Amino acid sequence: MERTTGNAMKEIPGNSVFQPRGFNPHNRVKILYVSYVVATLDITWMFVLMSISPYLANKLDFDTLWFGYLQTTVAVLQLLGGPIFGRVADIFGAQAALSLSCVASIVSFLLLANADTPAMLFMQKLPSFFMHGLPGSQMVVADLTEPEHRANALSKIGVCFSVGMIAGSTLGGHLIAQYGVTITSYVAAVGSTISLLLVILFIPKNTKVQAPSTSINREDSHRKKSIFSLTEITRLLKFPGVPGIFLIKIISGFPSVLFQVMFQIIAVKFFKLEPTQTGYLLAYFGIVQMVVQGFVIGRVTARYSDHSLVLLSTGVAALVGLAQAFMQNIFHFCLIVFPMIFSLGLFNTTMDSMLTNTVPSSDTGKT
């Protein structure tokens, strides 16, 4: 027997996805698969970009300090753009938000192809404000899955991340070595265009469960239509448990973000790796992550509580940070990758699941 809520949503017994009105099971599954493909492509082109940036910066005589400024610029732009992207998704729907992300990626790669000065390299990072393809795909998956199955469904995004990391880093390294930065950037722009076409053709305008219409909803409609509404952006912090989850995510995620920002410098300056070698190292990351996400994370999240998983992931991450301080060569680093990928994958999957389970389904874009 099917259970309905407000005549706007159906839950199909035996399935792990919600069914917003107008969706049939076949379309729903197709949307999920396309979301995974879009996430994979987004990560692929992101790692192509990561393969380009350090060597182009080195060509333009960037030292470690200025490369750090460049990466910090990206981090700040994405931090500021994340809530705005979420508002776009909530107001205009998943298709519009993911399309915006794909267009921003295309513009970024076209600028990169013509970046021949430090100023142009910084300008190329400006579209990062709207480049949130992976969170957009996570939003679609969260919209179409039941809370009890959401962590497992989101962990498949981690597998997509692994595939994209392997493909993007390997492809980027070989393209740069064979054809240079310009051709590699144009190839990535074409790839982002393919992602845009997939989003337009297969992702519906809205994937969220619509709540029944009430007088309160009608009174709030004008307020919710404002993309830059600070009240709407910060409203999620008023839900019980959300401030604590955000605080844990920010504090615990800072070391990993710092390492990811500086990894390219570590590869070039500390390990003295060439573009192709860096690509192989990142591909190794992807293989490890695919194994961990595909065979470990899903089983662990199904067996233990979110609280226990957060404690476990942060504990392992602390040990990984200590080990990194003592590593001396690339072999040591490759050994550290296993627990590092496990802690990051477990932490991100658990925190995403906790956030999407804490807020209403209509607000998953902003989380």
Side-chain angles (χ1 to χ4, degrees), residues 156-290:
K156 292 181 175 62
I157 293 286
V159 177
C160 297
F161 189 97
S162 304
V163 174
M165 181 187 293
I166 296 169
S169 54
T170 305
L171 179 64
H174 280 285
L175 286 176
I176 293 171
Q178 296 293 325
Y179 304 105
V181 170
T182 301
I183 296 299
T184 303
S185 300
Y186 282 131
V187 170
V190 172
S192 294
T193 303
I194 295 174
S195 298
L196 176 61
L197 292 176
L198 287 174
V199 170
I200 294 173
L201 292 175
F202 297 105
I203 301 295
K205 292 183 178 180
N206 191 20
T207 57
K208 296 186 181 299
V209 175
Q210 300 299 316
S213 179
T214 66
S215 59
I216 295 177
N217 290 339
R218 288 190 292 269
E219 289 172 3
D220 290 346
S221 60
H222 293 294
R223 172 175 56 85
K224 291 189 174 183
K225 288 181 180 179
S226 174
I227 294 177
F228 299 99
S229 171
L230 184 62
T231 301
E232 268 299 291
I233 291 174
T234 59
R235 180 174 59 86
L236 292 176
L237 296 176
K238 298 178 182 178
F239 286 104
V242 170
I245 295 175
F246 267 117
L247 184 62
I248 293 172
K249 187 164 186 173
I250 291 172
I251 295 175
S252 300
F254 177 76
S256 64
V257 171
L258 180 63
F259 176 78
Q260 290 171 32
V261 166
M262 296 309 297
F263 169 75
Q264 295 167 352
I265 288 294
I266 295 172
V268 175
K269 301 292 186 180
F270 186 71
F271 292 132
K272 308 294 184 182
L273 299 181
E274 297 297 326
T276 304
Q277 294 172 323
T278 302
Y280 288 147
L281 179 60
L282 290 173
Y284 168 71
F285 276 26
I287 293 172
V288 173
Q289 179 154 342
M290 184 183 298

Side-chain angles (χ1 to χ4, degrees), residues 73-88:
T73 300
V74 177
V76 170
L77 286 170
Q78 293 214 312
L79 176 65
L80 296 176
I84 303 302
F85 179 84
R87 290 293 297 147
V88 171

Side-chain angles (χ1 to χ4, degrees), residues 314-336:
T314 52
V316 173
L319 295 176
V320 167
L322 184 63
Q324 286 175 341
F326 292 97
M327 70 178 181
Q328 298 294 323
N329 52 52
I330 192 69
F331 177 72
H332 293 161
F333 183 65
C334 289
L335 292 179
I336 296 171

Side-chain angles (χ1 to χ4, degrees), residues 119-131:
M120 279 293 294
L121 192 55
F122 273 96
M123 187 180 298
Q124 175 267 327
K125 301 300 182 182
L126 294 179
S128 299
F129 188 87
F130 294 110
M131 290 168 61

